[in-house]
Amino acid sequence: MAFDLVLFGGTGDLAWRKLMPALFQAWRHGKLPEGGRILAVSRQDLSDETYRTWLKERFAEVEDAKRPSDEEFGRFAALLHYLRLDLSKADDYQRLAAWLASSTGRASKADVVVMFLATSPDLFPVVCAQLGQAGLNGPNVRVVLEKPLGHDLASAQQINRVVRSVFAEEQAYRIDHYLGKPAVQNLTALRFGNVLFEPLWRRECIANIQITLAETIGVGTRGDFYSRTGALRDMIQNHALQLLTMVAMEPPSRNVADAIRDEKLKVLRSLKRFTPESVGRDVVRGQYRAGNADGKATAGLLEEANVPPGSTTETFVALRTEVQNWRWAGVPFYLRTGKRLAARDAQIVVNFRATPHAIFPGQNRANKLVIKLQPEDGLELHLLAAKGAGQSEALTPVSLDLDFDKAFAENRVGAYERLLLDVIAGRLNLFVRSDEQEEAWGWVEPVLKAWRDDDTGPRPYLAGTWGPAAASALVARDGFAWSEEE
Ligand code: BG6
């Protein structure tokens, strides 16, 4: 299947850090369909050759295993082309249309054209409108939208209105790269491909669910963007909520995009709404101060480049919510994310209830399922076992570890590689529909508003710790603990 992939923001950070390495991996793994062309567009005046040289230099910064040899880059580069384009100029889109219709690098016409908007989202409306005017929105065109999709509900709705006026919903691929992580596929397979967990996957057997997306990095070079964004918008509204929907959704009737997305939407609609009072009680925001992360002395947010003095942007959020439906009534869902935390660790922990009656010594621990997204990808099932004959009857914790990275090593693909291949193949299952995305924005809005109205600001925490103590208190109040505190 011949495809054209047009990469808007072709010289930007996302393009060279994530997208080009992912395309290269897909090509290296032999998964990129034959006859593809990749066209990077941006405002700079570059030839194909200078663009390829520029990209080759950037690839030197990619981790070893994902870096092409000279010979590989040479062959991959044959797919790469470059076009200068001013995003606001109608004529330039005509030149784009002419390039797509041309036989540059390939004789036949593309079956699929992917417009990947790796630009600032402020530009999405203008790019979509211009693509429409240039007739570049036919049924074989797919548009990929990168986060952040808006800043609040109104701006997200505005972007969606323009996108929908040009493209049909099924042409729009909204990326949440967490959905491309292999652990998310494992979670769906575990829940809907096996009989074992489904009978237990409910309030009667589950005490609480914890979703942690912890990073050790700080805001790095993104001080300006981050201080306008904050952890709630950057990680909770999208990644953490998407994971929550995958854990809490009802079994879809079929493994097709809308059946899945309908179920995810129902979860979002069932989330307990925040009020000004419950924000004060159930949401903790924090900001890192100078400390020690990754074994090095590190600065606090306020000392980072391009962060305005006195910024009250949160770099940490922990919150408690509930999914108010028959399956989950009363089960706390704790979500937590932060920068400069004690470890890079993304995981979902399902804490089961204790047995109703204990007959063994040491039977004070409940079962726990840990779905690990990062740094490793796998599952851990924590059980209690007897040590063996002739010893005491006390039970001891053991865990069944499934290391998917090892077990399926040759088939593992990174999140962006997976998602890019899905766009080319037309599989929408792992992309976010506009109604889901708007529902998620609507849910975080009362928190954003309560914080705007409350000038106490975020609680400080030292870099290299697990965030403000109030985050532990949030969970302790219900009689639970974050998994690393148990
Ligand atoms: C991005 C956020 O969406 O996800 C970043 O904007 C964050 O701030 C990143 O660092 C985390 O992604 P990953 O895949 O490295 O966990």
Side-chain angles (χ1 to χ4, degrees):
M1 185 198 40
F3 72 91
D4 282 335
L5 189 149
V6 183
L7 191 52
F8 291 83
T11 51
D13 211 44
L14 185 71
W16 72 261
R17 269 192 320 114
K18 298 268 193 199
L19 305 178
M20 283 299 182
L23 285 165
F24 169 69
Q25 288 304 314
W27 174 85
R28 183 188 249 177
H29 295 150
K31 297 206 166 118
L32 211 54
E34 291 286 319
R37 299 187 297 183
I38 300 169
L39 179 68
V41 304
S42 94
R43 225 208 299 242
Q44 297 175 44
D45 201 1
L46 305 175
S47 65
D48 286 359
E49 266 325 304
T50 35
Y51 182 74
R52 290 170 187 157
T53 309
W54 175 87
L55 186 66
K56 191 170 178 199
E57 284 163 13
R58 300 279 94 69
F59 262 119
E61 291 169 43
V62 168
E63 60 185 286
D64 284 1
K66 299 194 172 164
R67 200 178 301 152
S69 66
D70 285 353
E71 186 272 330
E72 279 178 317
F73 188 81
R75 286 192 288 134
F76 174 64
L79 271 58
L80 300 176
H81 303 269
Y82 181 84
L83 188 72
R84 182 183 57 75
L85 188 135
D86 182 331
L87 296 181
S88 58
K89 285 209 180 119
D91 287 354
D92 284 11
Y93 290 81
Q94 293 301 342
R95 286 199 298 114
L96 172 61
W99 191 92
L100 290 170
S102 76
S103 55
T104 312
R106 189 187 51 227
S108 60
K109 237 178 149 276
D111 303 303
V112 171
V113 180
V114 176
M115 303 289 183
F116 197 117
L117 309 195
T119 63
S120 154
D122 308 344
L123 299 168
F124 291 172
V126 58
V127 177
C128 288
Q130 292 280 5
L131 287 172
Q133 273 169 27
L136 290 172
N137 60 340
N140 69 335
V141 177
R142 296 173 189 152
V143 63
V144 185
L145 305 161
E146 255 295 339
K147 73 174 273 275
L149 279 163
H151 197 65
D152 54 15
L153 178 59
S155 53
Q157 285 171 328
Q158 168 59 15
I159 293 175
N160 283 334
R161 258 196 300 277
V162 179
V163 172
R164 270 198 300 262
S165 70
V166 178
F167 296 100
E169 178 66 44
E170 57 278 10
Q171 291 175 278
Y173 289 67
R174 291 179 196 76
I175 287 217
D176 185 307
H177 77 278
Y178 267 69
L179 292 181
K181 294 198 189 267
V184 176
Q185 328 310 306
N186 294 336
L187 172 61
T188 328
L190 178 84
R191 289 198 57 200
F192 308 131
N194 294 282
V195 75
L196 216 55
F197 285 101
E198 177 52 23
L200 310 179
W201 211 255
R202 57 194 65 250
R203 63 188 305 281
E204 289 80 2
C205 300
I206 291 179
N208 69 82
I209 292 182
Q210 306 182 357
I211 300 178
T212 295
L213 308 179
E215 299 184 279
T216 50
I217 54 167
V219 299
T221 53
R222 299 158 82 217
D224 176 42
F225 160 79
Y226 197 88
S227 51
R228 286 180 283 113
T229 307
L232 188 73
R233 292 184 172 98
D234 192 44
M235 298 291 285
I236 298 282
Q237 183 274 340
N238 35 63
H239 306 322
L241 279 188
Q242 284 294 322
L243 294 179
L244 185 154
T245 62
M246 299 302 281
V247 176
M249 71 199 246
E250 294 299 314
S253 56
R254 290 191 299 145
N255 188 22
V256 295
D258 277 338
I260 296 168
R261 300 189 303 177
D262 287 348
E263 296 304 337
K264 286 164 64 198
L265 179 62
K266 280 195 228 160
V267 173
L268 293 167
R269 288 191 174 143
S270 311
L271 284 178
K272 188 172 182 179
R273 303 286 123 176
F274 284 110
T275 61
E277 297 68 47
S278 70
V279 171
R281 193 185 58 234
D282 293 341
V283 189
V284 175
R285 58 174 159 157
Q287 187 186 80
Y288 64 84
R289 298 283 184 263
N292 253 293
D294 268 345
K296 290 189 294 274
T298 52
L301 178 79
L302 298 177
E303 291 92 59
E304 302 272 20
N306 303 321
V307 173
S311 165
T312 57
T313 299
E314 81 287 355
T315 57
F316 175 94
V317 177
L319 62 84
R320 178 195 191 283
T321 187
E322 289 176 23
V323 178
Q324 296 182 307
N325 63 16
W326 196 295
R327 185 188 286 266
W328 294 116
V331 177
F333 283 72
Y334 304 108
L335 311 185
R336 174 175 63 159
T337 188
K339 299 230 181 265
R340 287 278 185 241
L341 294 185
R344 176 165 184 254
D345 190 8
Q347 59 177 27
I348 302 169
V349 179
V350 180
N351 283 309
F352 290 91
R353 292 187 190 279
T355 52
H357 174 62
I359 59 166
F360 300 109
Q363 200 179 341
N364 54 353
R365 279 174 172 258
N367 298 141
K368 169 160 107 169
L369 176 70
V370 183
I371 299 145
K372 300 193 290 183
L373 286 84
Q374 257 156 219
E376 314 86 33
D377 155 31
L379 283 180
E380 269 173 27
L381 182 60
H382 296 237
L383 304 167
L384 288 177
K387 273 194 194 141
Q391 297 189 1
S392 100
E393 285 190 327
L395 297 189
T396 189
V398 291
S399 90
L400 291 179
D401 290 348
L402 299 179
D403 181 343
F404 292 131
D405 278 334
K406 271 210 198 98
F408 304 130
E410 70 286 8
N411 291 319
R412 290 331 243 175
V413 295
Y416 270 103
E417 180 182 347
R418 161 82 205 234
L419 294 174
L420 280 160
L421 290 170
D422 277 1
V423 179
I424 295 169
R427 276 173 59 85
L428 271 162
N429 296 26
L430 298 177
F431 296 86
V432 182
R433 206 167 57 191
S434 58
D435 47 6
E436 282 181 77
Q437 188 219 346
E438 290 178 14
E439 194 65 36
W441 272 119
W443 185 75
V444 297
E445 285 240 308
V447 184
L448 294 170
K449 173 157 187 345
W451 286 352
R452 263 198 311 273
D453 296 346
D454 168 9
D455 49 22
T456 51
R459 295 167 192 264
Y461 63 94
L462 294 181
T465 65
W466 281 104
S472 303
L474 175 80
V475 179
R477 216 173 54 209
D478 295 330
F480 302 126
W482 291 107
S483 64
E484 79 281 353
E485 293 172 345
E486 282 170 358

